[in-house]
Amino acid sequence: MLQDWFADGLARNPDGPALRILGRDWAYTEVDALARAWAAAVAGAGAADTPVAVLASKTPEAYIGLLAALYAGAPAVPLNPENPVARNAAVLRAAGCGAVIAAPDTTGQLARLLESAPVHVVLAPDTDRAALPAKLPSAVGGARVLRADEAAASGAGGGWRPRAGSPDDIAYLLFTSGSTGTPKGVPVSHGNVSAFLAAALPRYDVRPEDRFSQVHETTFDLALCDIFPAWAGGACVCVLSRLQALDPARWVRRYGLTVWHSTPSLARGLQRADRLVPGGLAGLRQSVFAGEPLLLDTARYWQRAAPDGVLDNIYGPTELTIACTAFRWHPDQDLSDPVYGATVPIGAPNDGMAAMLLAPDGSPADRSGELVMTGPQMFRGYLDPAQDTDRFLESGGRRWYRTGDQVRRTVHGYVHLGRKDAQVKVNGYRVEVGEVEAVLRDTAGTDAVAFALDGPGGIRLVAYLLGDAEPDTADLAERLAGRLPPYMLPRHLWWLADAPLNAHGKTDRTRLREDAVHRLGHEGEATP
């Protein structure tokens, strides 16, 4: 079970720091005690055996709440308070959450969130009793409100024991972008995560003295690539804000970071601004990049700043549990052959995982094709079984997941060639452009076309509104912000009365793409 990996770290380093946020440390024993108390409070209030939402962003509740859900024997459902209330409420309903553990800065959102979600228990922030009724009534939308500080002080968690379960039980539920406009719920089992950890831990040789950066939101599964490998080894998870993550040299020194993990976009931005000096990241023994293609020149730039460590490029959709392939990059490797392009390979499958390639007609391919994988890290299927359509295939007596990613097989493992469908990565987040278009059409009441453009500033979403009447784009942008997370909002909205048509009488996306590149004033290529 996933919580057993935390227990391993607790046994290795009980008095050492498990979590650091803004210079404040929480020891393993402290995290364990709080998680037990919160689990006891939630389960004792009638929310046992139902998913537990964790409404928090890089606060103690985000991490201890995740562990508390596991201790309660319930799937954890991370929610980002920066996302629109309507989207978070849709996730609560879809997941069937019976409880919410909330951070102090979310009290303003809770009442609105619970108006449309059938939640029974809220573990409220630690607020003064006099202020609590004004901020959060003792009953909101029919939910019973508990005080997190009172639960911790009651001692009720002292005798609480994490519930026994099966590797097939769901550890957490994440919701990714869906092409129909509805987020896809991805249930990941304890067995799936344990298989990932069993493959990753020997690779990283985690030690109690290690300090892991943590720059991702917990709604992004790459955050778990920091949290549980660190905790399994008795190391410390050091949480960085967005601004702190943009100055890694400072925080590597201040926190004594030894393991860095981020998307390539962050490193690319530092490279463009030339923010890293040679040796500026001395002390890092491991750097890990994931979520999108890592350019070779960015890897070289980072390695010059972190000469004492190794650099890994890992890959994996949420459905294959955090990362299912890995490649260790070395500065002296010869990857200049045109077959590799300008990106670092994603490498070979993790132990226990199997891969094959499919040609466009669905037949097996040898050198390049769609990457299809199976093994213990593969989830069983989406929360909504209807979304399983065309995502799986049966071959050789096994069920395989179709990633939608095009790859080439090389002597260095696989090289990522791009997406097969209309799915893209924006700052490491997976985005279905079709979902953006669907929300645009519904909000604007007119047709819409969206693209992801790859330019000097990185991937950005842009969109055209197609119709007779020019919309109020400022008003539309405000309404879109109420329905889409920040990373899914188009950076530019343009209106066209007459859409260009191709020979088949359909909207000519190629011409619109070329027009978008021209408007932005740079040469770029839209991600398909």
Side-chain angles (χ1 to χ4, degrees):
M1 304 297 282
L2 187 50
Q3 58 268 25
D4 294 335
W5 294 93
F6 178 85
D8 289 345
L10 174 64
R12 292 184 71 181
N13 194 18
D15 298 321
L19 184 65
R20 173 173 290 181
I21 303 176
L22 296 177
R24 202 288 209 189
D25 287 351
W26 283 260
Y28 271 86
T29 51
E30 186 177 6
V31 170
D32 177 64
L34 285 170
R36 289 176 188 274
W38 294 358
V42 167
D49 302 322
T50 62
V52 175
V54 182
L55 182 65
S57 174
K58 296 187 176 181
T59 66
E61 292 77 14
Y63 307 96
I64 302 173
L66 176 63
L67 186 61
L70 297 173
Y71 277 7
V77 184
L79 296 177
N80 189 342
E82 294 183 0
N83 286 348
V85 173
R87 187 180 182 89
N88 281 341
V91 168
L92 282 175
R93 291 192 300 269
C97 293
V100 176
I101 296 174
D105 58 355
T106 65
T107 51
Q109 185 181 128
L110 270 173
R112 290 180 295 154
L113 183 61
L114 298 176
E115 285 174 357
S116 60
V119 171
H120 304 298
V121 179
V122 174
L123 191 68
D126 299 344
T127 56
D128 293 336
R129 182 176 296 276
L132 184 61
K135 290 186 175 181
L136 193 65
S138 59
V140 180
R144 179 183 175 190
V145 178
L146 307 175
R147 285 279 302 272
D149 54 344
E150 291 179 352
S154 69
W160 180 264
R161 293 291 177 265
R163 297 190 177 187
S166 161
D168 291 334
D169 291 343
I170 301 305
Y172 59 81
L173 269 164
L174 295 180
F175 285 76
T176 67
S177 179
S179 59
T180 63
T182 302
K184 290 182 178 180
V186 181
V188 178
S189 73
H190 288 268
N192 295 150
V193 190
S194 291
F196 163 74
L197 290 170
L201 287 172
R203 184 179 189 88
Y204 303 133
D205 187 26
V206 182
R207 312 156 190 171
E209 60 267 26
D210 276 326
R211 301 291 180 266
F212 279 61
S213 71
Q214 209 287 293
V215 304
H216 305 297
E217 296 288 344
T218 53
T219 48
F220 191 10
D221 70 334
L222 289 180
L224 301 176
C225 194
D226 309 323
I227 298 168
F228 279 97
W231 282 353
C236 182
V237 176
C238 299
V239 180
L240 301 180
S241 69
R242 292 187 183 95
L243 285 177
Q244 289 172 332
L246 293 175
D247 191 3
R250 178 182 181 186
W251 296 100
V252 165
R253 292 192 302 269
R254 177 170 293 190
Y255 281 175
L257 298 178
T258 60
V259 181
W260 178 271
H261 178 208
S262 71
T263 60
S265 285
L266 188 148
R268 188 70 171 171
L270 295 170
Q271 181 187 10
R272 286 195 299 267
D274 197 18
R275 295 283 303 277
L276 297 178
V277 300
L281 300 177
L284 285 182
R285 67 176 190 84
Q286 177 77 55
S287 298
V288 183
F289 293 97
E292 56 196 354
L294 173 64
L295 297 181
L296 284 169
D297 65 333
T298 301
R300 295 190 188 98
Y301 181 80
W302 186 273
Q303 189 75 62
R304 285 195 295 268
D308 304 326
V310 296
L311 188 154
D312 280 3
N313 188 39
I314 62 176
Y315 157 87
T318 304
E319 293 85 347
L320 295 176
T321 313
I322 305 174
C324 53
T325 75
F327 178 79
R328 179 147 294 173
W329 181 83
H330 300 286
D332 56 354
Q333 285 173 318
D334 182 11
L335 300 177
S336 58
D337 190 290
V339 72
Y340 301 115
T343 62
V344 176
I346 60 174
N350 290 351
D351 289 345
M353 298 297 291
M356 64 178 178
L357 304 182
L358 293 184
D361 63 0
S363 63
D366 182 32
R367 281 196 71 180
S368 64
E370 181 188 0
L371 181 62
V372 181
M373 298 191 71
T374 192
Q377 291 182 223
M378 186 184 77
F379 82 139
R380 294 193 300 272
Y382 293 103
L383 190 62
D384 178 359
Q387 295 174 329
D388 290 348
T389 304
D390 298 327
R391 301 312 304 168
F392 294 92
L393 63 86
E394 300 290 332
S395 178
R398 305 177 74 181
R399 193 178 194 223
W400 301 70
Y401 177 72
R402 303 187 62 163
T403 67
D405 288 309
Q406 297 292 112
V407 302
R408 190 194 311 275
R409 195 193 314 270
T410 75
V411 297
H412 291 286
Y414 295 110
V415 173
H416 194 275
L417 302 177
R419 289 294 302 170
K420 175 178 177 288
D421 51 24
Q423 192 181 92
V424 298
K425 288 288 186 73
V426 178
N427 293 329
Y429 286 92
R430 196 172 72 181
V431 175
E432 291 276 3
V433 176
E435 180 181 2
V436 178
E437 291 183 347
V439 174
L440 273 170
R441 293 188 187 105
D442 185 58
T443 305
T446 187
D447 199 10
V449 173
F451 298 109
L453 295 181
D454 188 2
I459 298 289
R460 70 176 72 182
L461 291 172
V462 301
Y464 287 90
L465 302 171
L466 311 174
D468 295 332
E470 182 174 1
D472 182 344
T473 54
D475 175 70
L476 177 61
E478 184 175 346
R479 286 186 287 143
L480 286 174
R483 298 190 59 180
L484 293 172
Y487 63 87
M488 292 179 66
L489 293 173
R491 293 273 298 277
H492 300 275
L493 283 172
W494 299 304
W495 169 71
L496 287 178
D498 298 308
L501 303 179
N502 62 21
H504 300 287
K506 299 180 180 180
T507 299
D508 193 331
R509 289 174 173 264
T510 300
R511 288 175 59 187
L512 286 178
R513 185 163 55 239
E514 292 170 350
D515 179 69
V517 170
H518 176 74
R519 287 173 184 256
L520 293 176
H522 64 76
E523 291 297 326
E525 180 181 346
T527 304

